[in-house]
Amino acid sequence: MKLARRYAILGALATVGSSFVSADNINPSKAFSIRCSNLPKSFQPDQKTTVLLAEFLPKGSTIINPSSLPECAITNTTILADICRLRLNVTTSSTSSTVMEAWMPADWSVKGRRFLMTGNGGLAGCIGFDDLNYYTSLGFATAGHNNGHEGNTGLPFYNRPEVLKDYVFRALLTATHVGKKAATHLYQQVVKNSYYIGCSTGGRQGLKAAQDFPEEFDGIIAGAPAHNWNNLMSAFAYYWKYVANQQNPLVMTADQWVAWRDEVIHQCDTIDGVADLVIEDPRKCRPRPEARLCAPGQTWNSNKCFTSYQVTFLRKLYEPFYGNNGTWLYPGFAPGDETITSFWIQAAPPQLPIDWYRYAVLSDPNWTIEKDFDLDTADYNNAVDAFNISTYKDLSKLKASGHKLIQYHGLADGSLTYEGSDLYYESNVRRLGLPSAQMDKFYRYFPISGLSHCATGKGAWFIGAANQFFNSPASPAGITGFDPAGGVVMSMVKWVEEGIAPETILGRGVGADGKATSTKDHCKYPKKSTYVGGDASKRTSWRCL
Ligand SMILES: *[C@@H]1O[C@H](CO)[C@@H](O)[C@H](O)[C@H]1NC(C)=O
Ligand SMILES: *[C@@H]1O[C@H](CO)[C@@H](O)[C@H](O)[C@H]1NC(C)=O
Ligand SMILES: *[C@@H]1O[C@H](CO)[C@@H](O)[C@H](O)[C@H]1NC(C)=O
Ligand SMILES: *[C@@H]1O[C@H](CO)[C@@H](O)[C@H](O)[C@H]1NC(C)=O
Ligand SMILES: *[C@@H]1O[C@H](CO)[C@@H](O)[C@H](O)[C@H]1NC(C)=O
């Protein structure tokens, strides 16, 4: 019945475009595959778009690594649905272009005719293939782009403002237009609803869309957004240079970071009434490093204690970063995932802000944090504000558009502090003059306990979100088999298409075998997940209060 219907649609469509082969005498899968491989000839939407590749990939096949750069690679990925894979080069200016892919599943027409654009991470530069693969299995025509340059460094921005402009917003906007056209062309049906999902830089891209071009997406999902981008870059430089005062020897060894992370969890885990290694509300957690100060005569080797210098450092880790004249620029790091935090301040200076300052802000490849970073540099970065990368406008355009935004952020994010998301939400309450009950009509924010930066964590971190699908012990292939209902994407679909707005987002802890180890209904801000008794790994043992 289902197959017959799909056959009928494809058969009817085959007569629409002259370049399509008649599907009268072939099976639907074959017809779809032929339509797909005809795309280089049939899909020429404009002068700026070139088809690089079009191929039908059946479910279960594997994809040849499409990027020459290891940081953009996907390894040994098994395709989860019958798809048409379309790779395009889209010119964005006389000196810039973006490479994008649209993965279009064969069962699109019967699965809601939805389009989904995905985001990027860090300074990338990489198509999110794992996200494309997973969301096509849910029936979305899913697109991704390389944000105007291939790879995860800032070098492509050097004296190339158009490439930087792509990175800030234009590649996303352009790829969205072309992606929708590709879906409409392949299926010969208009897209019914259009969505966006991204985390980290992808979260910033989502908020950029919500602030500046909300008309493109019926539903936008922005995870762990790097929206306070300029000050985030300065913060990484600041904590490395001034707080860690990263000289020789290292302020903390790797062992000491682990011990400190465990100490923080020890101090804060049971504030929520449950010893489960998850700090349910880190806003209530004020770590006290003094608890581990060495007494006279004690050392790390003898007593696993910290020096006075280290204790002072650890205390400052959680304090905000203030610029010139005491201007608040960035919240401190969040407690609970300090081994991740250490990545930014341990050993070599962090490459992300170095690349940003060298190639995007100052055009000086010799710039270093050690020699050149200070609070005036941070001011300068804000004054330049490359192509308005500070993504801090209010959501009045989104509100006027009638479209929806879901923001989420891991409360155990040791890289990009959840507090930035709290503050963005509250700033909208004030600037739009709307209490939460009214904000709820178009903007909902879900803090996710036990979620690190975008993926993994000790809590019910898996919510079916961007960047959560990759093969590793923390994210085994089995997670693609979880029922997507209640996760962040299908909750957004329900909100947009049925008008049923999510009060909670379902999360799962994930075991090494890919099975769920816990479930939790993560609460809509400002409600808090509160333990009410019973097995703490079950969603029924918690309430949103
Ligand atoms: C991918 O497959 C190759 C060859 O089968 C294997 O050597 C490699 O370890 C695999 N990589 C990952 C990340 O699984
Ligand atoms: C994309 O097109 C531009 C011209 O607009 C060209 O410079 C670039 O090399 C092309 N990229 C690829 C991957 O084909
Ligand atoms: C800080 O204050 C001084 C003195 O009032 C002023 O000249 C300067 O512009 C201020 N700097 C910033 C970044 O606001
Ligand atoms: C960087 O430093 C090198 C060596 O000191 C110098 O030759 C070069 O001109 C510098 N480059 C820039 C862009 O300042
Ligand atoms: C940045 O935003 C301001 C205010 O909305 C606008 O006037 C300006 O044109 C924007 N600049 C860029 C480069 O987009």
Side-chain angles (χ1 to χ4, degrees), residues 74-77 471:
I74 49 165
T75 42
N76 302 3
T77 293
N471 275 308

Side-chain angles (χ1 to χ4, degrees), residues 14 21 39 60 96 116 150 215 225 236 270 279 303 335 342 367 374 385 435 441 443 451 455 518 521 537:
V21 175
L39 285 173
S96 59
L116 176 69
E150 196 68 8
E215 63 284 355
F236 287 141
T270 56
I279 300 170
N303 295 82
S342 75
W367 187 88
D374 62 19
D385 192 13
K441 290 175 187 155
Y443 174 30
L451 168 64
S518 65
D521 295 309
S537 71

Side-chain angles (χ1 to χ4, degrees), residues 21-252:
V21 175
S22 164
D24 285 351
N25 295 310
I26 44 182
N27 69 42
S29 171
K30 183 77 185 159
F32 182 75
S33 148
I34 291 170
R35 290 171 55 75
C36 179
S37 48
N38 274 341
L39 285 173
K41 272 179 276 159
S42 72
F43 184 59
Q44 290 163 348
D46 50 46
Q47 292 295 316
K48 49 181 202 174
T49 305
T50 314
V51 176
L52 300 175
L53 172 75
E55 60 179 353
F56 174 74
L57 294 172
K59 179 176 175 171
S61 58
T62 47
I63 178 176
I64 308 288
N65 184 10
S67 178
S68 53
L69 299 172
E71 69 256 45
C72 292
I74 49 165
T75 42
N76 302 3
T77 293
T78 303
I79 298 298
L80 295 171
D82 287 354
I83 61 160
C84 174
R85 175 186 173 211
L86 177 63
R87 186 171 171 91
L88 303 165
N89 186 14
V90 187
T91 303
T92 51
S93 79
S94 62
T95 54
S96 59
S97 58
T98 189
V99 172
M100 64 174 288
E101 298 212 3
W103 288 22
M104 298 174 280
D107 58 1
W108 183 79
S109 298
V110 295
K111 284 208 176 151
R113 284 161 47 193
R114 298 175 186 130
F115 174 78
L116 176 69
M117 176 49 84
T118 59
N120 304 89
L123 291 174
C126 296
I127 293 170
F129 289 105
D130 293 313
D131 291 342
L132 266 57
N133 193 25
Y134 176 69
Y135 296 121
T136 49
S137 79
L138 303 186
F140 293 84
T142 311
H145 57 94
N146 76 353
N147 224 7
H149 68 278
E150 196 68 8
N152 209 2
T153 82
L155 190 55
F157 303 144
Y158 186 37
N159 291 331
R160 291 165 79 202
E162 297 293 345
V163 176
L164 183 55
K165 185 172 181 175
D166 276 349
Y167 173 76
V168 176
F169 71 94
R170 187 177 51 194
L172 166 61
L173 189 55
T174 308
T176 300
H177 292 154
V178 176
K180 287 177 186 173
K181 279 184 198 164
T184 304
H185 175 85
L186 177 71
Y187 301 113
Q188 294 288 296
Q189 283 184 301
V190 292
V191 170
K192 246 192 206 157
N193 285 292
S194 151
Y195 299 90
Y196 172 85
I197 187 164
C199 194
S200 195
T201 277
R204 181 190 64 74
Q205 293 168 308
L207 289 189
K208 181 59 97 182
Q211 292 167 19
D212 287 355
F213 40 94
E215 63 284 355
E216 292 295 336
F217 304 106
D218 300 280
I220 295 170
I221 302 167
H227 57 295
N228 186 6
W229 177 264
N230 293 320
N231 294 323
L232 177 66
M233 293 303 99
S234 299
F236 287 141
Y238 168 82
Y239 286 97
W240 186 85
K241 180 170 179 177
Y242 295 108
V243 176
N245 191 14
Q246 197 59 254
Q247 308 299 338
N248 207 7
L250 299 175
V251 64
M252 305 258 288

Side-chain angles (χ1 to χ4, degrees), residues 324-325 327 379:
N324 277 324
N325 297 351
T327 310
D379 283 344

Side-chain angles (χ1 to χ4, degrees), residues 172-478:
L172 166 61
L173 189 55
T174 308
T176 300
H177 292 154
V178 176
K180 287 177 186 173
K181 279 184 198 164
T184 304
H185 175 85
L186 177 71
Y187 301 113
Q188 294 288 296
Q189 283 184 301
V190 292
V191 170
K192 246 192 206 157
N193 285 292
S194 151
Y195 299 90
Y196 172 85
I197 187 164
C199 194
S200 195
T201 277
R204 181 190 64 74
Q205 293 168 308
L207 289 189
K208 181 59 97 182
Q211 292 167 19
D212 287 355
F213 40 94
E215 63 284 355
E216 292 295 336
F217 304 106
D218 300 280
I220 295 170
I221 302 167
H227 57 295
N228 186 6
W229 177 264
N230 293 320
N231 294 323
L232 177 66
M233 293 303 99
S234 299
F236 287 141
Y238 168 82
Y239 286 97
W240 186 85
K241 180 170 179 177
Y242 295 108
V243 176
N245 191 14
Q246 197 59 254
Q247 308 299 338
N248 207 7
L250 299 175
V251 64
M252 305 258 288
T253 63
D255 283 7
Q256 290 172 331
W257 278 107
V258 171
W260 174 239
R261 191 261 331 264
D262 291 347
E263 171 68 26
V264 170
I265 292 182
H266 170 75
Q267 288 185 18
C268 294
D269 183 7
T270 56
I271 294 172
D272 51 35
V274 179
D276 57 358
L277 304 181
V278 175
I279 300 170
E280 201 55 40
D281 187 2
R283 303 169 192 93
K284 292 182 183 156
C285 173
R286 304 290 305 269
R288 180 172 178 260
E290 291 80 357
R292 290 286 286 271
L293 178 69
C294 293
Q298 291 185 341
T299 64
W300 168 256
N301 284 336
S302 63
N303 295 82
K304 298 287 173 270
C305 57
F306 297 122
T307 65
S308 175
Y309 183 84
Q310 289 173 321
V311 165
T312 306
F313 156 73
L314 288 172
R315 191 155 266 288
K316 287 191 196 147
L317 200 55
Y318 307 100
E319 288 171 5
F321 163 39
Y322 296 101
N324 277 324
N325 297 351
T327 310
W328 180 94
L329 296 179
Y330 191 76
F333 287 97
D337 200 2
E338 281 74 3
T339 50
I340 301 293
T341 304
S342 75
F343 169 80
W344 296 103
I345 46 188
Q346 193 71 354
Q351 198 58 41
L352 187 61
I354 295 174
D355 277 16
W356 180 251
Y357 272 111
R358 280 185 184 171
Y359 305 120
V361 183
L362 299 163
S363 297
D364 174 4
N366 290 339
W367 187 88
T368 67
I369 294 177
E370 301 91 306
K371 274 193 293 108
D372 304 312
F373 178 79
D374 62 19
L375 298 186
D376 291 342
T377 330
D379 283 344
Y380 185 72
N381 188 17
N382 278 320
V384 171
D385 192 13
F387 297 100
N388 290 338
I389 196 166
S390 63
T391 307
Y392 225 95
K393 283 187 205 158
D394 71 34
L395 293 170
S396 45
K397 265 184 121 170
L398 175 76
K399 176 175 182 277
S401 73
H403 292 177
K404 319 282 190 222
L405 170 64
I406 288 177
Q407 184 171 335
Y408 67 88
H409 206 131
L411 289 170
D413 188 334
S415 287
L416 225 168
T417 308
Y418 70 87
E419 200 182 332
S421 277
D422 287 11
L423 293 169
Y424 182 69
Y425 179 89
E426 299 294 19
S427 84
N428 272 287
V429 170
R430 295 191 305 274
R431 290 189 281 176
L432 301 181
L434 295 176
S436 289
Q438 265 129 67
M439 201 72 88
D440 276 357
K441 290 175 187 155
F442 62 95
Y443 174 30
R444 292 175 176 231
Y445 163 42
F446 296 88
I448 310 292
S449 64
L451 168 64
S452 189
H453 187 56
C454 300
T456 77
K458 294 202 159 62
W461 63 269
F462 180 80
I463 57 171
N467 307 9
Q468 295 194 329
F469 312 95
F470 48 88
N471 275 308
S472 86
S475 181

